[in-house]
Amino acid sequence: MFSIVIFLTFFVASQAQTSTDELEEFLMEAIRSNETIDFDFDKYGSKPCEPYQPVKPNFSAPGRRISEQKCFEYIWEMENRENETEWTQICRIYLISQIKKGVVPEVLFVINSPVIFGGRPATPGEFPHMGAIGWRAKNPEVKWIFKCGSTLISRKFLLTAAHCSKLSLRRSMDILNSQPEIVRLGVEDISDDEFNINGNPVDVNIKRFIVHPRYRAPKKYYDVALIELETEVKLMSNVQPACVWAENDISYLDTKGILSGWGYTEHGRLSNHLQAAVVDFIETPLCDLILQKFRNRHWGGFRDHQLCAGNLSGGIDTCQGDSGGPVQVKIPVKTEGKMYWTVGITSFGNKCGQKNRPGVYTRVSSFIDWIEEIVWGTTNTST
């Protein structure tokens, strides 16, 4: 039996994608185990370790928007990542059952993917589409400071607020440059600390910030922007795009939305851990009346491309640091869990969590043509 391990170790050492130590540890674990495994060939077939290569369906259809088509593709990919995890476990059981019988499975000579011998799949985060926008810090002991949120909507683009594209150095004295440089994905805890044990962040450089052409700071209208990353991100359980809601009518959705971000908490401190809250969607006429006393030269009341959400009794709201993040709804899909649809982008509010002071959000559907043209135009159909 040990000669099998030695031979396989020698063979795998020449395979660039496979960890020799990992494979040897797996085989030795199988040999030492006293557990008897009878593999069910009737249930799983005669070749349970055949490469998992499903064919992606064509989700395009007459009258279907490109954003909706891409949403179906992301859902399909998410479901198949779960199916691949199940396939990996079945293959692992098969390998152990054969090794314990003294048989060298042929699959070990043709498959050198680390997915077979890797550890347990990571548990998906609750908001795998969330991205924290980072500015280079003045403090040399802290590399990045995160002041805005964003929503991953494709492998290379994120949706955020236009006012996050450039900050005032006079007001933000803890950053070196007014423009952000990275987006951090894949973790709920964004502590910029080498000893952070809360996951492996995916930091991606920003290629460009695409601000809506009608946005004029410090005005509070057309507060929407896209972030193009320098490289595409690999989609996985903790990095997954959200869908974008393309219809102006949200009346048949849940009457409540979900906020997520790293902004100030009720204790007056920025949170390194992603926070979430449930808020009510509030009818625009009522919200416009409530916020009438807060009108000024930068915001003269609601326009069609804005929506209102919050808790009129107070206590729940977005705050500084949440800007650019989503207000979203969850819609069930075939997999366990649900898919998030981004309905709005956090734009501004009047103080945080105060009674009768709901937040104002940019309505995503009002800019769907602009978003689709940039993200999934003829030159970006692969994203």
Side-chain angles (χ1 to χ4, degrees):
M1 184 67 72
F2 284 96
S3 62
I4 294 176
V5 176
I6 294 171
F7 178 77
L8 288 175
T9 301
F10 173 78
F11 174 80
V12 174
S14 64
Q15 308 300 306
Q17 295 181 355
T18 305
S19 165
T20 302
D21 293 339
E22 190 174 13
L23 175 58
E24 185 171 351
E25 181 181 351
F26 168 74
L27 293 172
M28 292 300 295
E29 179 185 347
I31 294 167
R32 289 193 298 265
S33 173
N34 294 322
E35 183 181 0
T36 301
I37 298 177
D38 292 322
F39 189 80
D40 190 344
F41 287 97
D42 292 334
K43 183 176 181 180
Y44 299 114
S46 60
K47 296 182 178 181
C49 289
E50 283 285 305
Y52 183 77
Q53 296 175 333
V55 178
K56 182 187 293 187
N58 182 2
F59 291 104
S60 62
R64 178 174 288 172
R65 301 196 69 110
I66 183 64
S67 57
E68 186 179 8
Q69 174 187 329
K70 290 296 180 180
C71 180
F72 287 134
E73 289 182 11
Y74 299 147
I75 292 172
W76 182 87
E77 290 170 0
M78 180 173 64
E79 291 173 345
N80 275 279
R81 281 197 297 274
E82 295 179 4
N83 292 340
E84 185 174 11
T85 298
E86 181 181 359
W87 168 84
T88 300
Q89 297 304 321
I90 293 170
C91 182
R92 182 183 181 92
I93 293 171
Y94 165 74
L95 292 176
I96 293 176
S97 70
Q98 297 303 292
I99 291 168
K100 289 183 71 64
K101 294 177 182 178
V103 178
V104 182
E106 291 183 5
V107 67
L108 288 175
F109 297 95
V110 295
I111 294 181
N112 63 346
S113 171
V115 70
I116 295 178
F117 304 103
R120 297 178 182 176
T123 303
E126 185 180 2
F127 300 97
H129 50 277
M130 285 297 299
I133 303 175
W135 281 256
R136 195 170 293 276
K138 276 188 177 180
N139 184 349
E141 296 181 1
V142 180
K143 188 173 183 180
W144 302 108
I145 292 178
F146 300 94
K147 290 180 175 286
C148 277
S150 60
T151 303
L152 187 70
I153 60 171
S154 81
R155 290 177 176 83
K156 204 175 182 183
F157 285 88
L158 297 101
L159 190 63
T160 189
H163 74 264
C164 291
S165 63
K166 186 177 182 179
L167 299 183
S168 167
L169 293 179
R170 187 169 55 184
R171 293 182 179 180
S172 300
M173 301 181 67
D174 52 352
I175 58 176
L176 278 176
N177 305 307
S178 59
Q179 288 89 7
E181 297 182 36
I182 69 160
V183 175
R184 176 163 292 179
L185 299 160
V187 288
E188 293 180 350
D189 191 315
I190 54 169
S191 303
D192 195 37
D193 185 342
E194 62 178 324
F195 301 108
N196 182 6
I197 60 173
N198 296 294
N200 297 313
V202 179
D203 288 350
V204 190
N205 290 335
I206 294 173
K207 180 179 180 180
R208 59 173 176 155
F209 229 104
I210 309 167
V211 174
H212 192 273
R214 297 189 67 178
Y215 175 72
R216 296 289 184 272
K219 299 290 186 181
K220 304 292 188 180
Y221 298 110
Y222 304 99
D223 193 9
V224 56
L226 289 163
I227 297 173
E228 182 179 5
L229 302 174
E230 283 191 356
T231 57
E232 291 188 358
V233 295
K234 179 182 178 181
L235 303 187
M236 43 192 161
S237 60
N238 59 334
V239 179
Q240 168 73 29
C243 298
V244 288
W245 189 255
E247 300 181 36
N248 286 330
D249 185 9
I250 62 172
S251 61
Y252 57 91
L253 293 175
D254 194 335
T255 57
K256 296 182 182 296
I258 302 169
L259 307 175
S260 52
W262 291 276
Y264 279 89
T265 67
E266 65 273 19
H267 303 296
R269 296 179 181 178
L270 277 170
S271 173
N272 283 326
H273 194 86
L274 186 64
Q275 304 292 304
V278 176
V279 292
D280 298 314
F281 289 119
I282 303 170
E283 293 289 340
T284 299
L286 173 60
C287 203
D288 206 18
L289 181 63
I290 293 172
L291 297 179
Q292 187 173 13
K293 60 183 177 181
F294 300 107
R295 293 183 182 183
N296 53 42
R297 59 193 178 96
H298 300 315
W299 187 71
F302 274 90
R303 294 190 184 176
D304 290 342
H305 68 269
Q306 295 176 316
L307 58 85
C308 179
N311 189 328
L312 295 182
S313 62
I316 299 176
D317 195 7
T318 48
C319 203
Q320 289 86 358
D322 291 320
S323 288
V327 56
Q328 58 219 322
V329 294
K330 289 193 295 185
I331 297 179
V333 294
K334 292 180 182 179
T335 57
E336 294 181 6
K338 298 182 179 181
M339 190 71 178
Y340 285 94
W341 295 71
T342 302
V343 175
I345 303 165
T346 303
S347 183
F348 71 96
N350 291 281
K351 297 190 176 180
C352 304
Q354 299 294 309
K355 183 178 179 180
N356 289 327
R357 293 190 181 185
V360 179
Y361 301 81
T362 302
R363 189 187 297 269
V364 171
S365 60
S366 297
F367 301 94
I368 192 66
D369 291 335
W370 179 74
I371 293 169
E372 288 182 343
E373 177 61 29
I374 294 172
V375 178
W376 297 292
T378 54
T379 59
N380 289 315
T381 54
S382 64
T383 60

